[in-house]
Amino acid sequence: MLVRDAYGAISIDGSGGDDAQDLRSVHAGELTIYEIKSYVRRLTAAQKRKIKQSCMRAITLHRPQRWVLIMPLNRSPAEAAWFDQLGAEVADVKIEWWGQDWLDAHFAGREDLISYVEGPDYRLLARAKLHNFERQVVATGADLAERMESLIGSGNDISPYWRLRFDETEHGLMRTIVPRRPDSHIADPIQITPTFQFPPDDPNAQQLADQLRGTIEFGGDIEVPGRFVTRLQVTAASDATRRLLGDEDQPGGTLRLTSVPDTAGLPLRGELVVESPVGLPQVSLPFILRDRVTGTHGTTLRGADPNDGLIGQLRIGNTTTPGLTIILTIRSPIGAYSQDVLPAFRLMAALQPGCTLSFRVGPEKIAFFQVANNLDPKVADALRMIEAMNVLQDHLGVLIPIDVPASNADHHDLLAIADALQSRPAPTHFSGFTATVPAERLEHFLATVPDHPTQMRMGKGDYAIALGDREYDIPGLAIWAPDVVLINRDEILGAASEAGREHEAHFASHRGRRFFFIRDEDLNTAPAVIEAMDSAISACSNRGCPDKGSD
C-alpha cells in the first residue's frame, strides 16, 4: 500500500504466480519492479539465494531499468557487501534495498496503516484519552467543531481502505461508506446481504418484490420500506474494515438500492412513434435516452421526453436472458401546464392493441414493440381533462396549472365548456332551473312565456368554474335549452290573484334532456347542431348501438 500510494505502482496478483514481480510502476518510460520480503532477522544463505533468484528472474522476464527490494530489515556490513556484489552482476539494472528505516519514515503519520497492522489495541492510551475528552461538556461551537474533527480524524484511521461519512437527513444521521483509494472495492471488498420478507397475502408487497427483482436483474433505483427488510449482514475482507462497519448482523431498516449510471455514448436523442394498422395518423413524441444501468440479467437504458412527463426504461437482456422490453411510466399531470404534458398523454392514449411502438433515431428504428394490452382507462380520462384545460387556458389567455376539479360537477362542466369553446354544444349537468317572478310581473310573465316547449338562452356573459382552490370566470359562454317548458304554469295562475306575492317559476326540459353550454356567437347555428345530434342518437339506437344516454 505504501508503494502504491508513493509511486503509483500496480500490485500483481500472485495467486497463479507473479512472474517475479510483487508490484511494478512505469515513470518517464522507466520500468521499476518491486520485490517485497518479510525477512526480519539477518539473512540466511537460503534467503539470499531466493532474493537473487527473484532479481535475476525479474530482469530476464521484464527487462526493468530498476529493481527494488523492500523488507523490514536494515543491511549489516556483510549484507551490504553481498547486495553490492549482486548489483555488479546486473550492471545494466539499478538495484536498491529499502529497509526498516525506509519503512519507518513512510509509516510515520499513516495512522490508518498502523491501525491496519496492529489491530484493535492500537493507540489504546490515546483512545482512552479521547474517551475522557468526549465526556467533557460541549460549551461552544468551537468545542463541538474541535471534538468532531478529532473523532472523524480518529475514525478515518480505522481502515486504510474505507472511511465513514456522516450526513444529516430527515431520517436521522446517515452513514456512508466511502472508499479511500481507487482499488478499495477490489483489495478489501464489502458485501451487504439483506434479507427480505414479503407477505404472500399482501398484493402491494408482492408488487414491490417484483420491482425489487427487476432492479436487481436489470439495474435501477428502488427503496424498500423497513418493514420488509428483516436483517442486514455486512461483511468485509479485512479486520480493520470489519471494525469500521461494526457488528456483522445488523437490524433491518429502510433500504434503497441504486445502480451506478453509465453515460458512455449518451444521450441518444430520438422519438417514440405509435403506428396504427387501421390507417389512423401516427403519433410521435421526442424522447431522449440519458443513461444506462446494469443488473444480473441485462442492461436498462433510461430516458424521458423533454418535459420529463413520460419516463421510459428499455431493458435489454444478456446472452443468458435474451429479450427486449420497454416500460413506460407517465407522471401525474397535477401542477404541470397542459401544453407540457399533452404530447406524452396523447402518445400513451394512442397505444391500442395492434399498434406498433418504436424508438427511432432519424429514419432508423432502434427498437420496436407490438402493443397487446388495452390501456388503463384512467390515462384516456386524464387526456380528456388535459385537453380541456388546454382549450380553457388558450381561451382565457393565462397559464393555468392542472388541478383536480373541485367536484364531479365541475369536472363534467370543464369537459363540456371545452367542447362549447370549440363550437361543439355540450350538455351541462342540469336540465332545469328556477326563476323568481315579482308579483307585479306575474301576468306579463305568463303572457310572454309560451305554453309549449321552446328554446331559451340564459346566462349570457361569464360562467365560473372551480379548479383546485381557485375559480375562473369564463366569458363568452351561454346556456341554451332547446325545448324548455314552464312546468308550474297552473300554480302561478292560481297565485296571480294574490296581491303583493312573488312566485317561483320552474322550468325543465320537455324531454328531460340537459341544457347545453354554447358560445354566444354559435347561438344561431345551435338548433341545427342539436338536431344533427338527435338524428345521430336516433340512428345509433335503431342500429342497436350501445346506449350512450341523452348526452
Side-chain angles (χ1 to χ4, degrees):
M1 281 189 269
L2 282 175
V3 176
R4 286 203 304 260
D5 289 348
Y7 300 100
I10 300 173
S11 302
I12 304 300
D13 185 353
S15 57
D18 59 13
D19 288 338
Q21 51 179 349
D22 289 326
L23 302 100
R24 60 185 290 151
S25 66
V26 178
H27 290 287
E30 180 181 279
L31 171 63
T32 302
I33 300 295
Y34 302 89
E35 181 69 22
I36 300 177
K37 297 296 185 184
S38 58
Y39 307 148
V40 294
R41 302 181 184 277
R42 301 272 64 91
L43 296 178
T44 65
Q47 291 171 338
K48 290 178 181 178
R49 279 198 306 273
K50 288 184 178 179
I51 292 173
K52 183 175 181 178
Q53 289 171 355
S54 296
C55 178
M56 294 300 187
R57 190 158 181 260
I59 292 172
T60 301
L61 292 175
H62 308 293
R63 304 293 183 184
Q65 284 73 45
R66 188 169 67 142
W67 184 85
V68 178
L69 171 67
I70 307 173
M71 59 183 176
L73 181 68
N74 289 331
R75 294 179 289 182
S76 68
E79 290 163 344
W82 166 79
F83 195 73
D84 290 342
Q85 177 60 38
L86 176 61
E89 295 179 29
V90 292
D92 293 338
V93 179
K94 179 181 179 181
I95 68 171
E96 302 176 31
W97 177 327
W98 295 353
Q100 184 70 48
D101 290 345
W102 183 91
L103 287 168
D104 287 344
H106 283 75
F107 260 82
R110 289 299 300 268
E111 305 295 342
D112 56 333
L113 295 183
I114 301 173
S115 172
Y116 183 72
V117 172
E118 296 190 7
D121 294 333
Y122 166 66
R123 291 179 69 196
L124 184 59
L125 292 177
R127 293 180 187 277
K129 180 180 179 181
L130 180 63
H131 176 70
N132 182 61
F133 175 56
E134 288 306 313
R135 298 181 65 181
Q136 299 176 17
V137 175
V138 176
T140 65
D143 289 347
L144 178 61
E146 181 182 0
R147 207 157 301 181
M148 289 296 296
E149 289 177 2
S150 176
L151 281 172
I152 291 173
S154 179
N156 287 345
D157 293 338
I158 297 175
S159 168
Y161 292 105
W162 303 91
R163 65 181 179 87
L164 290 180
R165 187 185 72 216
F166 298 91
D167 300 284
E168 290 188 5
T169 71
E170 58 181 331
H171 304 293
L173 196 63
M174 181 175 70
R175 294 176 297 166
T176 304
I177 306 169
V178 180
R180 300 191 60 180
R181 50 196 316 122
D183 63 344
S184 293
H185 63 292
I186 298 173
D188 188 13
I190 295 173
Q191 183 171 7
I192 302 175
T193 308
T195 301
F196 301 102
Q197 185 173 18
F198 297 104
D201 57 346
D202 184 345
N204 293 330
Q206 293 306 305
Q207 182 181 9
L208 183 63
D210 291 340
Q211 293 172 353
L212 174 62
R213 187 177 301 108
T215 300
I216 293 171
E217 292 179 351
F218 290 93
D221 190 330
I222 189 172
E223 184 172 291
V224 182
R227 66 181 183 276
F228 300 121
V229 186
T230 59
R231 177 172 171 257
L232 285 176
Q233 185 181 30
V234 184
T235 59
S238 72
D239 289 336
T241 301
R242 284 195 289 272
R243 284 187 279 115
L244 175 72
L245 300 178
D247 295 336
E248 181 175 305
D249 286 330
Q250 301 188 15
T254 297
L255 181 66
R256 181 177 176 184
L257 302 179
T258 303
S259 303
V260 178
D262 172 23
T263 59
L266 299 172
L268 181 61
R269 301 178 185 275
E271 61 179 350
L272 291 173
V273 179
V274 178
E275 295 177 282
S276 171
V278 294
L280 295 176
Q282 71 178 24
V283 180
S284 63
L285 176 71
F287 201 80
I288 307 169
L289 294 174
R290 294 172 176 164
D291 64 22
R292 67 174 63 80
V293 290
T294 301
T296 59
H297 288 58
T299 298
T300 300
L301 286 164
R302 304 187 299 189
D305 71 306
N307 292 309
D308 286 331
L310 184 65
I311 309 301
Q313 300 180 49
L314 185 62
R315 289 182 174 177
I316 307 169
N318 54 27
T319 54
T320 59
T321 312
L324 194 63
T325 305
I326 190 167
I327 301 171
L328 296 177
T329 305
I330 196 159
R331 289 183 172 173
S332 168
I334 302 302
Y337 295 112
S338 56
Q339 71 275 8
D340 294 331
V341 296
L342 254 181
F345 273 85
R346 282 174 175 162
L347 180 120
M348 289 295 288
L351 291 172
Q352 301 297 328
C355 292
T356 299
L357 171 67
S358 60
F359 175 70
R360 300 181 183 180
V361 178
E364 183 179 358
K365 287 186 179 180
I366 305 299
F368 63 92
F369 311 87
Q370 292 298 127
V371 181
N373 300 322
N374 285 312
L375 187 71
D376 184 343
K378 292 180 181 178
V379 175
D381 292 342
L383 174 60
R384 289 187 64 203
M385 185 181 77
I386 295 167
E387 288 179 328
M389 289 288 299
N390 200 53
V391 171
L392 180 62
Q393 181 175 264
D394 288 346
H395 178 72
L396 298 180
V398 295
L399 286 171
I400 305 176
I402 296 172
D403 206 337
V404 178
S407 65
N408 289 334
D410 283 314
H411 181 270
H412 176 276
D413 284 351
L414 172 63
L415 302 180
I417 288 169
D419 278 342
L421 292 175
Q422 298 173 89
S423 295
R424 297 195 298 265
T428 67
H429 62 276
F430 51 88
S431 58
F433 70 95
T434 297
T436 300
V437 185
E440 65 274 13
R441 300 285 298 173
L442 281 178
E443 290 186 7
H444 176 74
F445 173 78
L446 291 172
T448 55
V449 174
D451 59 358
H452 56 80
T454 186
Q455 59 177 309
M456 185 179 295
R457 185 187 69 183
M458 296 153 284
K460 179 182 178 182
D462 291 352
Y463 186 88
I465 185 170
L467 297 172
D469 57 357
R470 287 192 59 185
E471 238 185 30
Y472 296 89
D473 292 327
I474 307 169
L477 275 183
I479 296 176
W480 185 73
D483 58 353
V484 72
V485 66
L486 178 63
I487 60 175
N488 64 336
R489 177 179 292 273
D490 292 341
E491 181 183 341
I492 296 175
L493 280 171
S497 59
E498 301 179 22
R501 180 185 170 191
E502 63 181 21
H503 207 78
E504 289 187 343
H506 301 297
F507 292 87
S509 171
H510 175 60
R511 292 184 290 173
R513 295 176 58 187
R514 297 181 184 181
F515 298 165
F516 290 83
F517 284 119
I518 193 168
R519 291 197 314 170
D520 283 341
E521 55 264 43
D522 293 333
L523 281 171
N524 293 332
T525 60
V529 173
I530 300 301
E531 183 178 350
M533 293 169 61
D534 287 340
S535 299
I537 293 172
S538 176
C540 186
S541 300
N542 292 336
R543 290 196 303 268
C545 298
D547 182 18
K548 299 297 182 182
S550 61
D551 289 354

